[in-house]
Amino acid sequence: MSPNTPLFGGIGWGEWDKMRHTRFLWGSFVLLLALVVCLAGPAGAQGEVTAEVGSLLAEYYVDPVPADVLAAPNVDEMLTRLGDPHTRYFTPAAYQDFLDSLDLRFSGIGIHISSVPQGIEVVAVIKDSPAAAAGMQSGDVITMAAGQSLAGCSTEEAAQLIRGPAGSTVDLTVQRGDQVLVFSVTRAQINVPTVTGELLAGRIGYIDLDSFGSETPAEFAQVAGELKDRQADRWIIDLRSNPGGYLGVALDLAGYFAGDQTAVQFKNKNTGFRSARGTDHGFIFARPAIVLTDRYSASASEILAACVQDYGQALLLGERTYGKGTVQGMYDLTGGGKLKLTIDRFYSPQGKSINETGVSPDWELADTDQQLAAELLLAAAPVPGDNTGYVQVAAGPETFTVDLALARTERYWPVWAALLATRQPDGWKTGTQTGWQPVDAAAADQRWPLFYPGYRQVARMNAVPPDKQFTVTFSRGLDFATVNAAGVELIAAGTGSRVPLTFLPLNDRQVKVVPDEPLAAGGAYWLLVHRLVQDVAGRPLNQGVLALITVQG
């Protein structure tokens, strides 16, 4: 008996469960390797199905199957004894739900969910969905659905209650903070594109890939083509929280980075390594490119990530992937059911193991906005001969040039700080009028020299009170018109937020800098005086200066 239509990884069951928030392991990742239709037998007794499952396990399971597993009295017990979360029995209806989930197509209320002890947490609400129209919000915890408690339920069990035919209604009890709310939500057909994209910073093609579904190749080609037509010349491919999908789709997308070279390798108990090639589209994404991954990028996402990394076609930025490196085949059973059965392990094109190890990023970056970080790395325009105001860093196959004017904005400040904290200090260079200057480790560790290269630290003030006022003394008489919010800044070191200031002249060379609001207890700040400040003769400061400040806890 041969497996049916190729599938590879996926998660579903009506309300789509985003992998980054799941707290369970069940057989929702699938890979079928042969496009072969097997003949289903006539409807028969449960014993016949149990015998079929035992036969399939004995013949095709990736590892030898213990005798006590094969001797189990029924399918449920057999799979329980096997202990493989990725080997699973599907009823015909459940199988169709699974296929729909790969295409992000289902009938429900339009929420992404996660199991928590009290019930089911709403991780996100799909735009324009029935849940959105009813007023449900991310962070809501559904404690009851259709009159049944969801405490202790898996996402699969909860989804069976929440989903239903379009036009039907489900009553939900929701805990929102201290409030208990009741929603009556009319279900609808939910169709979410598996691929979306946008042009960022006028030149970055951002492609968000949420699943490897049947429509994904066409959607991906359309989105990528539109972004190319809009002159995108650098790329972000977002695989975060993508649980997988069809194998053929993974191979199709791998072709955008590796052409028709080997995209993945497979191995089972009976054979050596076998390979599958990518699809040649006659187009490979131009570099620089960044692929975003997290701990919930799984299955087909890991095939694509490993392929991109092995061929050096993009920087992998983010977190180590899920590590779901086993292959499942889907088999027809008597009565119309399906058995999803682990039959292989898969490896990167270079033979690197993925199962239970995942794909390690070239640049590990967690607990921050990885997309914003990628934007910052890619956003800089071509650098002129004078590189002042830029920082350069090599990572993976790429060398990135960062515009510090952008990095110092409040939008990008936190991710720039995170990038600096997670990269070895010997990889940084600051721009000068004549080229690039390596940054020594001590300066990189201080962080501020890579925000404000060329500045000089003139003071360190520890444990100042939250109502601290600062007196700044200059060596020459000041043009006080230049002592303003552009010339003098007090910046929260962690967030980049600027503290509003009042400036009080004390004499011709001194000014009192008064924060308009108390400083945060335990906070760290940088007080900067820029070269925009001039003396009475119109001459700027020789160089920018800063003081490092910490506030009493």
Side-chain angles (χ1 to χ4, degrees), residues 428-442:
W428 302 96
K429 296 179 181 179
T430 54
T432 69
Q433 291 183 340
T434 57
W436 297 100
Q437 178 68 39
V439 177
D440 65 71

Side-chain angles (χ1 to χ4, degrees), residues 363-423:
W363 193 332
E364 188 166 356
L365 188 68
D367 302 322
T368 193
D369 189 328
Q370 293 104 336
Q371 181 187 330
L372 271 184
E375 290 179 29
L376 179 61
L377 291 172
L378 293 171
V383 180
D386 182 356
N387 296 327
T388 304
Y390 294 89
V391 167
Q392 189 180 81
V393 59
E398 308 290 0
T399 297
F400 300 98
T401 300
V402 175
D403 183 349
L404 289 179
L406 188 63
R408 293 192 289 247
T409 63
E410 289 191 41
R411 174 177 172 82
Y412 291 101
W413 184 290
V415 299
W416 181 230
L419 287 166
L420 295 176
T422 54
R423 195 75 192 159

Side-chain angles (χ1 to χ4, degrees), residues 195-209 219-220 222-228 230-238 240 371-372 375 378 411-412:
V195 183
T196 56
E198 59 181 312
L199 191 68
L200 304 174
R203 60 191 317 213
I204 302 170
Y206 171 76
I207 302 179
D208 186 14
L209 184 59
E219 292 175 352
F220 191 92
Q222 179 177 348
V223 170
E226 291 174 352
L227 290 171
K228 281 182 60 184
R230 296 176 64 187
Q231 308 307 309
D233 62 357
R234 48 200 59 205
W235 301 89
I236 300 173
I237 310 298
D238 195 341
R240 292 174 299 172
Q371 181 187 330
L372 271 184
E375 290 179 29
L378 293 171
R411 174 177 172 82
Y412 291 101

Side-chain angles (χ1 to χ4, degrees), residues 83-167:
D84 178 359
H86 306 302
T87 294
R88 181 178 178 82
Y89 170 76
F90 285 105
T91 66
Y95 178 63
Q96 185 58 53
D97 287 341
F98 177 77
L99 295 183
D100 287 344
S101 74
L102 295 183
D103 292 326
L104 308 188
R105 180 178 62 244
F106 54 88
S107 177
I109 66 172
I111 54 176
H112 302 318
I113 61 176
S114 170
S115 177
V116 295
Q118 314 94 293
I120 296 296
E121 182 180 358
V122 178
V123 174
V125 178
I126 296 173
K127 183 180 178 181
D128 299 326
S129 67
M136 297 184 69
Q137 299 177 7
S138 174
D140 287 348
V141 175
I142 306 173
T143 58
M144 295 188 69
Q148 296 190 39
S149 172
L150 299 186
C153 283
S154 69
T155 51
E156 176 188 358
E157 293 166 335
Q160 296 287 348
L161 296 171
I162 297 172
R163 65 179 183 174

